[in-house]
Amino acid sequence: MPKSDFHEDDDDDDDDVVFLGSPAGGGVNSEDPSVPKPVEAQQRYRTLECRNFWRAGTYEVPSGPLHRARRAALESYDFDRARVHPKFLHSNATSHKWAFGAVAELLDNAVDEIHNGATFVKVDKINNLKDNSPVLLFQDDGGGMDPEGIRRCMSLGFSSKRLKTTIGQYGNGFKTSTMRLGADAIVFSRASRGSCVTLSIGLLSYTFLRRTLKDDIFVPMLDFQIINGQIIPLSSNSQDEWDSSLKTIIEWSPFSSKEELLLQFEDIGLHGTKVLIYNLWMNDDGLLELDFEDDEEDILLRDQAYSGGFSRSNKEIVHCHISYTLKYSLRAYASILYLRKFSSFQIILRGKPVEQVNLADEMKFMKTITYKPQVCKDAEDVSVRVTIGFAKEAPVLGIFGFNVYHKNRLIMPFWKVVQEGSSRGRCVIGVFEANFMEPAHDKQDFERTPLFIRLEAKLRQIVLDYWKHNCHLIGYQSYSTKTEKRKLKDSDKHSYEHSSKTQHKMPSVHVDGVTRLDVSAAEPSGQACAQYSIVEQSELGEDSEDIEIMDISDPTLIEKISEESIQLFMRRAELQLKTAQLKQTVEELEHELEEAKNRYSQLVADLETRRTQQVKK
Ligand SMILES: Nc1ncnc2c1ncn2[C@@H]1O[C@H](COP(=O)(O)OP(=O)(O)OP(=O)(O)O)[C@@H](O)[C@H]1O
Ligand SMILES: [Mg+2]
């Protein structure tokens, strides 16, 4: 029976516990080799009852009398040192909200091996030999890991990366990313250090740790050395320990024997690393989070479809754009993941190389702006070249934002520094490398420091400036001087159009009260889009020009803004008071007026009565 079917019916079901012979009410399976397990039950035991990543971290460690396996586990511990509970593996991985963020970490580890000779990283789906379930494979031909290296890889917070150029720095990416993608991972690495060639295997299995009730993260490892063409087991500890590691790996990995394990080195070459992630996480519907079926040359994120935000006419084109597809297509994301094109390295996704895309090649009316962030007083001058332009599809696509890289690796894709929905900044895209800031631990954001806040303000200013001076190039009306604005204020809608037309040679027509520009005249390449509804009348209002450009390099800016806010607040309170006073005056005057009117009516009536009496006399 295929595993996914098996689990659809049985998710969150603890019946298997009883079946496997654990004490009644124990709630978690225990390892009891004396109880024979039918194949199906064994398979079920080798996967967790909960296959959803976000829920897999909450589980109860059984209370009450300790059953045999738990007591044995506790007794074997060395209480003289702090331990790391397997739950930490899971909670640590929750930093990756987005599964592709985890995939990127494993690609980074291969890219960081370029200086050790890596020429490729393969990402593919293979099948678990034991139960035919999908396994995610990452394989590179980098320097590989020797026995010490693989232990560093499996440990938390150890990084061997000392070069300033490497992407890896925290010593955490491997653990968070494998755990975020699946419950279990096995690593095969071959290293060649001088004349010493080693083969190493490590198993990081959350399923094993949980099912055997470990209170500490235990990672079984096996090492071999190749001497005169012979594969010789290497053991720094006792033979018993080596045998026990082999037994655990065979039991909890997709491989059933030492020979099967060693076969995995056959296609690694002289050096390199292979990471297999299995028991991949599923969504709430019991389907794999990673979709291998829909596109056989890609890996898709099943639940990442974008809902709404675009007009129906634009939807189709927008959905093909990389700013959208990168959210769910690994091929799209991998294509922009690294800023500079590799000269002798390839990402091979499901047998097909990923074509690298530089956002600067996707722009028109491109411009480069140099920004000098104030990193800190004593630091060397830092200078960042920001490339900015209109998306080549402009004005049709409303996409915008900056791709921000750190050490060549994309950290923030299409970061929106201006408000969504505003015409200002529409279709403006940019790209730059921000090595002067530190990425967050999931490498999907930057630390929120004052430097970051200043950068955001600066980028906003850059976009608005760019827009102000160039929006006419994609068919938007623009005007640049206050004098002109004043002129526009005085004139009616038609003369406004005339003025802007003569300035920018942009023909425009009126349809349904909306100003539409015939942008085909502005398209140098003639690509786009006559009769495209571009600017609503309201968007051409006064505030288009009222952008106060502030000097954000001024360190006292925040105080100045706060001071200004307080002044404005007080002014507002004053005006509110005045408004209330005026309202009262108005009410009093209205009352007086009413009284005067009554008196007048009275007088008119008296006069009329007297006149009538005089006439009678
Ligand atoms: N594919 C690989 N080839 C060779 N060594 C690797 C590979 N993957 C991981 N390593 C080794 O394992 C160590 C830990 O990797 P891990 O991704 O956890 O941390 P890191 O890359 O050093 O830093 P970061 O947490 O920022 O990614 C690395 O420093 C490296 O020595
Ligand atoms: Mg890493």
Side-chain angles (χ1 to χ4, degrees):
M1 189 189 297
K3 184 162 265 192
S4 53
D5 297 342
F6 187 71
H7 279 273
E8 257 166 23
D9 296 332
D10 298 279
D11 226 11
D12 292 325
D13 177 358
D14 276 342
D15 284 350
D16 55 342
V17 175
V18 179
F19 189 76
L20 289 167
S22 69
V28 182
N29 288 320
S30 70
E31 236 337 51
D32 189 347
S34 62
V35 180
K37 299 174 187 95
V39 175
E40 223 173 65
Q42 276 192 21
Q43 280 176 12
R44 186 155 54 162
Y45 180 57
R46 304 271 177 260
T47 56
L48 295 172
E49 62 275 20
C50 172
R51 296 288 304 276
N52 179 300
F53 171 72
W54 298 105
R55 283 187 277 118
T58 35
Y59 64 96
E60 299 252 326
V61 176
S63 55
L66 296 179
H67 55 77
R68 212 173 340 142
R70 185 164 157 70
R71 195 181 310 115
L74 284 175
E75 276 164 7
S76 69
Y77 284 127
D78 166 8
F79 282 100
D80 289 341
R81 63 178 182 87
R83 284 169 286 141
V84 185
H85 197 279
K87 277 189 181 186
F88 179 75
L89 263 189
H90 180 272
S91 58
N92 197 30
T94 57
S95 64
H96 285 299
K97 303 281 171 277
W98 185 47
F100 281 175
V103 171
E105 294 272 4
L106 293 162
L107 297 178
D108 294 344
N109 281 351
V111 169
D112 279 344
E113 286 298 305
I114 292 178
H115 71 270
N116 285 328
T119 62
F120 70 83
V121 57
K122 273 191 221 166
V123 187
D124 215 332
K125 186 215 90 164
I126 56 170
N127 287 342
N128 190 325
L129 291 178
K130 280 185 183 161
D131 60 12
N132 216 30
S133 64
V135 173
L136 183 61
L137 162 88
F138 291 83
Q139 183 176 345
D140 65 63
D141 63 345
M145 289 175 271
D146 57 18
E148 195 190 322
I150 199 164
R151 277 154 187 77
R152 234 184 341 250
C153 176
M154 297 294 195
S155 306
L156 292 155
F158 289 89
S159 176
S160 62
K161 296 171 185 173
R162 301 280 170 265
L163 295 176
K164 271 192 170 172
T165 46
T166 53
I167 302 163
Q169 53 179 335
Y170 300 122
N172 206 18
F174 174 83
K175 282 68 63 176
T176 51
S177 57
T178 48
M179 182 70 217
R180 173 63 187 84
L181 296 166
D184 310 299
I186 184 164
V187 186
F188 299 86
S189 199
R190 177 175 162 133
S192 192
R193 309 279 184 258
S195 59
C196 181
V197 179
T198 53
L199 309 179
S200 296
I201 303 171
L203 178 81
L204 187 63
S205 168
Y206 185 58
T207 312
F208 153 66
L209 295 169
R210 273 193 52 178
R211 290 292 198 198
T212 56
L213 305 169
K214 294 280 183 281
D215 280 4
D216 198 0
I217 298 174
F218 170 63
V219 180
M221 309 260 188
L222 293 175
D223 303 299
F224 303 85
Q225 194 175 351
I226 302 187
I227 302 170
N228 300 327
Q230 300 284 310
I231 299 176
I232 314 289
L234 255 184
S235 175
S236 53
N237 296 317
S238 68
Q239 183 65 35
D240 282 354
E241 270 180 52
W242 204 93
D243 291 344
S244 151
S245 289
L246 176 63
K247 182 173 172 283
T248 310
I249 292 175
I250 284 172
E251 203 160 336
W252 296 94
S253 78
F255 308 99
S256 308
S257 64
K258 188 175 89 180
E259 289 64 39
E260 270 188 18
L261 287 167
L262 288 174
L263 267 181
Q264 289 302 307
F265 289 100
E266 296 252 302
D267 63 353
I268 286 187
L270 293 179
H271 43 77
T273 301
K274 196 187 245 189
V275 179
L276 302 180
I277 306 167
Y278 53 103
N279 285 327
L280 299 169
W281 298 116
M282 292 177 170
N283 68 9
D284 285 337
D285 302 325
L287 298 168
L288 286 175
E289 195 180 11
L290 299 176
D291 173 5
F292 300 100
E293 307 301 326
D294 258 23
D295 184 343
E296 59 184 28
E297 291 182 344
D298 202 351
I299 297 175
L300 306 178
L301 259 190
R302 205 180 289 277
D303 298 326
Q304 279 285 326
Y306 189 83
S307 49
F310 304 106
S311 72
R312 200 182 295 172
S313 57
N314 270 0
K315 216 171 194 166
E316 238 167 70
I317 328 168
V318 171
H319 281 195
C320 297
H321 194 265
I322 195 157
S323 62
Y324 173 74
T325 52
L326 71 87
K327 295 175 188 177
Y328 65 85
S329 153
L330 184 56
R331 184 168 293 279
Y333 179 48
S335 74
I336 56 162
L337 190 55
Y338 303 101
L339 179 59
R340 287 174 284 280
K341 292 189 180 169
F342 299 121
S343 55
S344 52
F345 182 85
Q346 277 190 325
I347 301 172
I348 303 168
L349 177 57
R350 304 196 76 181
K352 191 178 159 193
V354 169
E355 219 169 282
Q356 284 188 272
V357 173
N358 186 327
L359 203 61
D361 300 336
E362 305 295 300
M363 290 178 194
K364 56 187 178 186
F365 308 118
M366 197 175 84
K367 210 178 151 188
T368 309
I369 292 154
T370 304
Y371 166 51
K372 291 187 185 252
Q374 286 198 324
V375 178
C376 67
K377 268 186 192 155
D378 310 322
E380 279 174 38
D381 268 2
V382 176
S383 144
V384 179
R385 283 164 66 85
V386 179
T387 305
I388 189 170
F390 287 114
K392 63 183 178 194
E393 298 84 355
V396 177
L397 291 186
I399 52 115
F400 62 103
F402 284 93
N403 275 359
V404 192
Y405 290 78
H406 181 264
K407 293 185 183 171
N408 202 34
R409 148 75 135 87
L410 180 62
I411 303 294
M412 296 177 80
F414 294 93
W415 178 26
K416 293 174 175 49
V417 294
V418 291
Q419 247 186 352
E420 219 153 344
S422 159
S423 63
R424 279 177 290 160
R426 187 183 152 94
C427 303
V428 179
I429 54 176
V431 60
F432 63 99
E433 194 174 26
N435 292 343
F436 59 93
M437 297 190 301
E438 282 305 311
H441 276 220
D442 64 353
K443 302 208 182 88
Q444 297 297 318
D445 201 349
F446 286 97
E447 288 173 359
R448 298 294 159 128
T449 57
L451 203 58
F452 178 88
I453 293 161
R454 284 206 295 275
L455 172 70
E456 187 172 13
K458 179 67 189 178
L459 291 175
R460 193 173 301 129
Q461 181 195 358
I462 289 174
V463 170
L464 295 177
D465 266 1
Y466 179 87
W467 174 261
K468 196 169 90 182
H469 294 117
N470 300 287
C471 64
H472 62 281
L473 296 170
I474 59 161
Y476 279 73
Q477 289 180 329
S478 78
Y479 43 93
S480 51
T481 62
K482 294 238 178 202
T483 331
E484 189 183 355
K485 184 179 139 195
R486 243 173 266 125
K487 251 194 271 165
L488 291 174
K489 246 187 192 173
D490 298 341
S491 59
D492 65 10
K493 206 159 87 176
H494 291 273
S495 60
Y496 170 78
E497 267 187 358
H498 178 72
S499 121
S500 101
K501 264 191 279 179
T502 46
Q503 192 182 357
H504 302 300
K505 311 240 177 322
M506 291 297 301
S508 87
V509 286
H510 267 85
V511 184
D512 306 335
V514 170
T515 306
R516 291 167 195 260
L517 307 179
D518 181 358
V519 293
S520 57
E523 281 291 336
S525 53
Q527 307 154 329
C529 345
Q531 287 158 29
Y532 180 74
S533 168
I534 296 172
V535 184
E536 293 202 4
Q537 202 66 47
S538 61
E539 287 177 333
L540 290 168
E542 293 171 27
D543 68 330
S544 306
E545 188 67 1
D546 285 345
I547 312 156
E548 283 295 326
I549 305 294
M550 289 180 279
D551 176 15
I552 60 141
S553 58
D554 180 357
T556 59
L557 184 65
I558 292 174
E559 285 103 290
K560 279 184 193 163
I561 292 172
S562 313
E563 184 57 33
E564 216 171 284
S565 307
I566 295 166
Q567 297 294 343
L568 286 170
F569 205 77
M570 283 161 54
R571 180 97 183 100
R572 194 182 73 160
E574 257 173 47
L575 288 173
Q576 277 173 338
L577 190 70
K578 251 188 205 161
T579 312
Q581 283 169 348
L582 282 173
K583 219 170 161 188
Q584 200 182 341
T585 314
V586 169
E587 273 170 19
E588 282 168 9
L589 285 171
E590 272 172 355
H591 186 69
E592 272 175 39
L593 182 67
E594 200 56 37
E595 279 182 349
K597 270 186 192 166
N598 287 343
R599 232 178 299 137
Y600 174 73
S601 315
Q602 192 66 47
L603 283 172
V604 171
D606 283 355
L607 198 65
E608 197 58 34
T609 321
R610 276 186 205 166
R611 220 182 262 153
T612 327
Q613 284 170 352
Q614 264 180 1
V615 171
K616 279 185 187 166
K617 275 179 192 173

